[in-house]
Amino acid sequence: MSDLDRVLAQVDADLDASLERLFAFLRIPSISTDRAYADECRRAGQWLADDLATLGLEAKLNATPGHPIVTGTSHAGAARRVLFYGHYDVQPVDPLELWENPPFEPRIVANAEGVKRIVARGSSDDKGQVMTFVEACRAYQKVLGRLPVDVAIVVEGEEESGSANIVPFLAAHKDELKADVALVCDTGMWDAQTPAIVLSLRGLMHDEFVVRAADRDLHSGYYGGAAANPLHVISKVIAAVHDADGRVTIPGFYDGVLEPPEHVKAAWAQLDLTPENFLAPIGLSIPSGEKDRLLIELVSSRPTFEVNGLWGGYTGEGSKTVIPSIATAKISCRLVADQDPAQVRDAVRAFIRANIPADCTVEFLGGEGSRAVAVAHDSPDLAKAAEALEKEWGKPPVTAGEGGSIPVVGQFKKVLGQDTLLIGFALDDDRIHSPNEKYDLASFHKGIRSWVRILAALAE
Amino acid sequence: MSDLDRVLAQVDADLDASLERLFAFLRIPSISTDRAYADECRRAGQWLADDLATLGLEAKLNATPGHPIVTGTSHAGAARRVLFYGHYDVQPVDPLELWENPPFEPRIVANAEGVKRIVARGSSDDKGQVMTFVEACRAYQKVLGRLPVDVAIVVEGEEESGSANIVPFLAAHKDELKADVALVCDTGMWDAQTPAIVLSLRGLMHDEFVVRAADRDLHSGYYGGAAANPLHVISKVIAAVHDADGRVTIPGFYDGVLEPPEHVKAAWAQLDLTPENFLAPIGLSIPSGEKDRLLIELVSSRPTFEVNGLWGGYTGEGSKTVIPSIATAKISCRLVADQDPAQVRDAVRAFIRANIPADCTVEFLGGEGSRAVAVAHDSPDLAKAAEALEKEWGKPPVTAGEGGSIPVVGQFKKVLGQDTLLIGFALDDDRIHSPNEKYDLASFHKGIRSWVRILAALAE
């Protein structure tokens, strides 16, 4: 029995214990975007650091101005070294009432077809995915007493809230973290049977704006018809952002957006990403974006403008005949190719200002952003990882872009000068960022096995 | 010293005690629109019924399917009888943090010019105004042992939440409530020195609609660009309601809207209601409504469509890259002349449905309404009341329409067959429905004195 087979057998034999460790991690409500959970974020980071220490790694909980960054490094003199990145923070859980089980009480739930799933906030994004790599390392330690490659594991606690501190951290710890290749486990499979290696990610710019009209809430009888209503103003601004064809009308918004090569578009057209298989599962049927684009383009190679939150006026029970004085919107843009987050922010703000009537004011809060990233599709490590995944899943991985954003990936190239392989085992129906987030037991189990194979392949 | 002068002197002498009674009334948080305050509404009604009993009136707290209705009646065989209407319920107090003092801890506060004001929720709308009439009756009882007219005082607890139960109550108690004329104290002065008798009120239709897209909240990276965003949809609907000239575009919305006679418009043009004196005090300068209308038209003789509340998606701290599944709006329309609330509701709903994309759904909750009312401007009682007001204030009252809505007034004519005189002492800067609502001490004191004079005049 080869070393590899022995390690894979250890993964299978240890699965229940692996799940127990993951559940302990999932029970910590490490919501990074809400300051009220700062202590829980620290607790989650400490839990992971303690666990990495049991693998014989040099484990640290590194303080930052925000939530701490966990590192676990080995320097055993292996031929090659990999940097693994993930995050231990999770999204908020609202609306809480839509959760079938409490979000931080993980459990295994079988669906109608008997498919077993790990249900909890963070099960898929990203604690479950991080632990696939950690458990792969554990199996090597247990069976061989060493890892096939040296590792620098970096797990941050601010991925869901802007990753403000990871970049300075990378720059400050360059030498310690430098590796031959970076591995990120925060993306998805193509489908439940088909693995994927993501070749591009969209960037992100998020902002918040507050529209103010009168200096107080007004009686809609006395002032209605004469006083500006900020809810009307903010609605007109938002409505003006997209034209009838779903295109963003903000001047300069599309600067830096590139068309993929024809052969790539041709390959995408073959991918059979249709409204039936992509939108029907979430109760929709009609793509809402630019009319002249493939669905795969809309969600990977085209930029977006989304309102993520909007509120103002009376939102309680019953009615209140008020003209409010304030309306607020949280927005975010997914960026592609060479779009510059700062330029997009400025274009968006200029557009909003231009659509605010003379009597009203607008204030902006936020405006952070990150560029899109493309991963080299000709690196030898990509070929090795693809071969390893094919061995585990019985079919080659799909290599395409993905619409999500992982701000740090661009920095691995920029700061550390290394390529990144984006390999994850999440599924489209994992409900990440939504109530009842889940991670298939198969994603977790075969995800661990996949990393065992990939680490062996990258060692050579 | 005439009886009238003795009663007026009693009003002056008793002012402090009158204020103490009002404060006790104001301390009860009778917010009718929020079920959590149902007991407080009952408590406010009971307090008033007990107080009316001390005037020798037959006082009752009449149960309804909603909040109880207070009545106080006399049958002393006076030559004439008046029905007085007011309400003891108040608006919600949010945003609470903008109140300088707790809303239900009334106090006298002098402004920079030394003008004394009663500050509390309900001080102006409508507990303070109700008590001007009650205290006038009290002064008559004290001095003469009788009222110059018989009275039927009716004070409801649902004026701020749709007045669902007052109409059936009027119908069921027709004979008991029938009077020669109805008096309503829920309107304003023209300015701090000039009294007013309101000749028309706008009607009201309020509704709420919920737009749904995907069957769950979505990750804006994976689905952004392809999935419908209900916040975009609801913004486009709201933005489509008004054209660039401030006109409502909803087909049929203006059916039943009438143009006032030219001589009325001419008189209004003389009223000197300008952006400087009407909008500047609330921090605005440009009328937002139909461009070709007088300000007085916009706020009294023209209908409106207002969004009173709007919300959806993530509204907490920080950012959340989510595409929400639901967006909600509370809306209300001020109605004029012959507009039919049910027809306006149906026109609004049809317009909204027509603006919802195929993939989304819309649900409506609410849709209650009341017609606008016009008060006969040639009735002898109007002339008597105007003369009485002139004696108290030293100048004749302005007679114009007002933009607010008092649903029940139309019913006095319809159900009881009697005209209504709308006489109140509120001021534009009373901040009714807003934080720091106030009622000038002069409004309260001279309001009581005004009713003493009006009751004497109406007795003849």
Side-chain angles (χ1 to χ4, degrees):
Chain A
M1 198 180 192
S2 72
D3 284 356
L4 179 61
D5 290 334
R6 287 168 51 219
V7 175
L8 290 172
Q10 167 64 23
V11 169
D12 300 345
D14 200 40
L15 183 60
D16 287 350
S18 301
L19 277 171
E20 276 174 36
R21 287 182 286 266
L22 173 58
F23 277 25
F25 197 17
L26 290 172
R27 286 190 190 99
I28 307 171
S30 47
I31 301 169
S32 61
T33 198
D34 185 342
R35 286 203 202 92
Y37 291 86
D39 290 349
E40 299 293 350
C41 289
R42 161 166 292 277
R43 203 152 67 82
Q46 188 61 62
W47 181 93
L48 183 59
D50 295 345
D51 190 54
L52 294 183
T54 67
L55 305 185
L57 300 178
E58 182 185 343
K60 289 188 206 153
L61 189 65
N62 304 273
T64 78
H67 303 305
I69 294 170
V70 178
T71 52
T73 53
S74 71
H75 305 273
R80 304 195 76 219
R81 186 149 197 267
V82 302
L83 167 67
F84 176 86
Y85 166 87
H87 62 94
Y88 65 77
D89 62 320
V90 301
Q91 281 274 319
V93 296
D94 58 280
L96 189 57
E97 64 274 16
L98 296 187
W99 285 79
E100 281 154 27
N101 301 315
F104 297 107
E105 296 177 18
R107 61 195 73 189
I108 301 286
V109 178
N111 73 357
E113 294 71 42
V115 177
K116 288 186 177 170
R117 291 137 157 212
I118 304 157
V119 180
R121 169 60 86 228
S123 57
S124 177
D125 181 20
D126 184 41
K127 289 171 175 172
Q129 302 238 63
V130 165
M131 293 307 286
T132 58
F133 186 85
V134 172
E135 294 296 336
C137 294
R138 194 186 318 274
Y140 272 110
Q141 278 294 347
K142 188 87 185 284
V143 174
L144 306 179
R146 57 171 177 77
L147 302 182
V149 293
D150 271 323
V151 299
I153 296 174
V154 180
V155 182
E156 73 161 310
E158 299 180 307
E159 198 275 338
E160 303 292 5
S161 56
S163 294
N165 296 298
I166 186 70
V167 178
F169 181 83
L170 291 176
H173 298 74
K174 253 171 102 156
D175 305 335
E176 180 185 346
L177 300 178
K178 187 92 188 64
D180 297 294
V181 64
L183 304 173
V184 172
C185 191
D186 196 17
T187 54
M189 308 255 295
W190 180 252
D191 61 36
Q193 291 73 40
T194 315
I197 300 179
V198 172
L199 294 189
S200 73
L201 290 165
R202 291 195 283 195
L204 182 66
M205 189 285 292
H206 51 81
D207 206 351
E208 179 170 330
F209 66 101
V210 182
V211 175
R212 291 185 174 82
D215 60 14
R216 74 203 66 169
D217 286 359
L218 303 171
H219 184 292
S220 72
Y222 294 122
Y223 291 100
N229 184 330
L231 294 175
H232 299 183
V233 172
I234 206 165
S235 296
K236 278 194 186 290
V237 172
I238 294 166
V241 169
H242 294 90
D243 67 18
D245 295 328
R247 195 173 161 83
V248 173
T249 62
I250 298 169
F253 182 80
Y254 289 99
D255 293 357
V257 176
L258 304 176
E259 290 298 327
E262 278 314 315
H263 71 275
V264 172
K265 274 205 197 187
W268 286 352
Q270 301 313 311
L271 280 177
D272 149 66
L273 190 73
T274 63
E276 292 62 39
N277 58 33
F278 187 70
L279 292 178
I282 55 170
L284 296 174
S285 62
I286 306 165
S288 68
E290 297 163 280
K291 296 222 182 310
D292 55 344
R293 297 287 175 175
L294 294 169
L295 198 41
I296 184 75
E297 288 182 277
L298 293 177
V299 298
S300 66
S301 68
R302 301 298 297 173
T304 69
F305 177 104
E306 297 283 353
V307 180
N308 307 116
L310 177 63
W311 68 99
Y314 182 67
T315 59
E317 190 186 353
S319 66
K320 184 180 180 189
T321 52
V322 64
I323 299 176
S325 55
I326 297 179
T328 307
K330 289 179 189 279
I331 64 123
S332 62
C333 296
R334 295 287 169 174
L335 309 178
V336 302
D338 295 335
Q339 279 182 298
D340 172 12
Q343 191 201 319
V344 170
R345 179 199 60 215
D346 296 346
V348 167
R349 290 181 171 185
F351 179 86
I352 291 170
R353 285 197 189 89
N355 282 276
I356 300 293
D359 240 10
C360 300
T361 62
V362 60
E363 178 188 6
F364 295 93
L365 318 158
E368 296 78 19
S370 62
R371 285 177 168 273
V373 293
V375 179
H377 53 281
D378 58 356
S379 88
D381 286 332
L382 173 58
K384 292 178 189 170
E387 194 184 341
L389 283 169
E390 183 168 2
K391 286 204 188 110
E392 176 62 27
W393 296 89
K395 46 165 75 170
V398 168
T399 53
E402 188 170 277
S405 307
I406 308 176
V408 75
V409 175
Q411 303 300 324
F412 293 143
K413 187 80 181 179
K414 195 168 160 194
V415 179
L416 305 179
Q418 67 206 40
D419 283 331
T420 299
L421 296 178
L422 294 154
I423 301 168
F425 307 98
L427 295 176
D428 287 343
D429 67 353
D430 278 359
R431 300 175 176 240
I432 72 170
H433 293 207
S434 301
N436 306 310
E437 177 179 352
K438 63 88 178 169
Y439 195 49
D440 279 16
L441 185 56
S443 293
F444 184 62
H445 183 193
K446 289 173 71 66
I448 300 169
R449 292 175 52 96
S450 297
W451 284 121
V452 167
R453 294 181 188 275
I454 292 166
L455 289 180
L458 293 177
E460 294 151 12
Chain B
M1 198 180 192
S2 73
D3 284 356
L4 179 60
D5 291 334
R6 287 167 53 218
V7 176
L8 291 171
Q10 167 64 24
V11 169
D12 300 345
D14 200 38
L15 183 60
D16 287 349
S18 301
L19 277 171
E20 275 174 36
R21 286 183 288 266
L22 173 58
F23 278 25
F25 197 17
L26 290 173
R27 286 190 191 98
I28 307 171
S30 47
I31 302 168
S32 61
T33 199
D34 185 342
R35 287 201 202 93
Y37 291 86
D39 290 350
E40 300 293 351
C41 289
R42 161 166 292 276
R43 203 153 66 83
Q46 188 62 60
W47 182 92
L48 183 60
D50 294 345
D51 191 55
L52 294 183
T54 66
L55 305 184
L57 300 177
E58 181 186 344
K60 288 188 206 153
L61 188 66
N62 305 273
T64 77
H67 302 306
I69 294 170
V70 178
T71 54
T73 54
S74 71
H75 304 274
R80 303 196 75 219
R81 185 150 199 265
V82 302
L83 168 67
F84 176 87
Y85 165 87
H87 61 94
Y88 65 77
D89 61 321
V90 300
Q91 280 274 319
V93 296
D94 57 279
L96 189 59
E97 64 274 15
L98 297 186
W99 286 80
E100 281 154 26
N101 300 314
F104 297 108
E105 294 177 17
R107 60 194 73 188
I108 301 286
V109 178
N111 72 357
E113 294 70 42
V115 178
K116 288 185 176 170
R117 292 139 158 210
I118 303 158
V119 179
R121 168 61 85 227
S123 57
S124 178
D125 180 19
D126 183 43
K127 288 172 175 173
Q129 302 237 61
V130 166
M131 293 307 287
T132 58
F133 186 85
V134 173
E135 294 296 335
C137 293
R138 195 186 317 274
Y140 271 110
Q141 279 294 350
K142 188 87 184 284
V143 174
L144 306 180
R146 59 170 177 76
L147 302 181
V149 294
D150 271 322
V151 298
I153 296 174
V154 180
V155 182
E156 73 161 306
E158 299 180 307
E159 198 274 340
E160 303 292 5
S161 56
S163 294
N165 296 298
I166 186 70
V167 178
F169 181 84
L170 291 176
H173 299 75
K174 254 171 102 156
D175 305 335
E176 180 185 347
L177 300 177
K178 187 90 189 62
D180 298 294
V181 63
L183 304 172
V184 171
C185 191
D186 196 18
T187 53
M189 307 256 294
W190 180 252
D191 59 37
Q193 291 74 38
T194 316
I197 300 180
V198 173
L199 293 190
S200 71
L201 290 165
R202 292 195 281 196
L204 182 66
M205 188 286 291
H206 50 80
D207 207 351
E208 179 171 329
F209 67 100
V210 183
V211 175
R212 292 185 174 82
D215 59 15
R216 73 201 68 171
D217 286 0
L218 303 173
H219 183 291
S220 72
Y222 295 125
Y223 291 101
N229 184 329
L231 293 175
H232 299 184
V233 172
I234 206 164
S235 295
K236 277 193 186 289
V237 172
I238 293 165
V241 169
H242 295 91
D243 67 19
D245 295 327
R247 200 175 155 81
V248 173
T249 61
I250 297 170
F253 182 79
Y254 289 99
D255 292 358
V257 176
L258 305 174
E259 289 299 327
E262 277 316 315
H263 71 276
V264 172
K265 274 204 195 183
W268 285 352
Q270 301 312 311
L271 281 178
D272 159 58
L273 189 72
T274 63
E276 291 62 39
N277 58 33
F278 187 70
L279 292 178
I282 55 170
L284 295 174
S285 63
I286 306 165
S288 68
E290 297 163 281
K291 298 224 179 311
D292 56 343
R293 297 288 175 174
L294 293 169
L295 199 41
I296 183 75
E297 287 182 277
L298 294 177
V299 297
S300 67
S301 68
R302 300 299 296 174
T304 69
F305 177 103
E306 296 284 353
V307 179
N308 306 116
L310 178 64
W311 69 99
Y314 183 66
T315 60
E317 191 187 349
S319 66
K320 184 181 179 187
T321 51
V322 65
I323 300 175
S325 56
I326 296 179
T328 307
K330 289 178 189 280
I331 64 121
S332 61
C333 296
R334 296 286 169 175
L335 309 179
V336 302
D338 295 336
Q339 280 182 298
D340 173 11
Q343 192 200 320
V344 170
R345 179 199 60 215
D346 296 345
V348 166
R349 291 181 172 187
F351 178 85
I352 292 170
R353 285 198 189 89
N355 281 274
I356 299 295
D359 240 9
C360 300
T361 62
V362 60
E363 178 187 8
F364 295 93
L365 318 157
E368 296 78 21
S370 63
R371 284 177 168 273
V373 293
V375 180
H377 54 280
D378 58 357
S379 89
D381 286 332
L382 173 58
K384 293 177 188 171
E387 195 184 340
L389 283 169
E390 182 168 4
K391 287 205 185 105
E392 177 62 28
W393 296 89
K395 46 165 72 170
V398 168
T399 53
E402 188 169 276
S405 307
I406 308 176
V408 74
V409 174
Q411 303 300 323
F412 293 144
K413 187 80 179 178
K414 195 168 161 194
V415 178
L416 306 177
Q418 67 206 38
D419 282 333
T420 298
L421 297 178
L422 295 154
I423 301 168
F425 308 98
L427 296 175
D428 286 344
D429 67 354
D430 279 359
R431 300 175 175 239
I432 72 171
H433 292 207
S434 301
N436 305 310
E437 177 179 352
K438 64 87 178 169
Y439 195 49
D440 279 16
L441 186 56
S443 293
F444 184 63
H445 183 193
K446 289 173 72 66
I448 300 170
R449 291 173 53 94
S450 297
W451 285 121
V452 166
R453 293 182 187 275
I454 291 167
L455 289 180
L458 293 177
E460 294 153 13

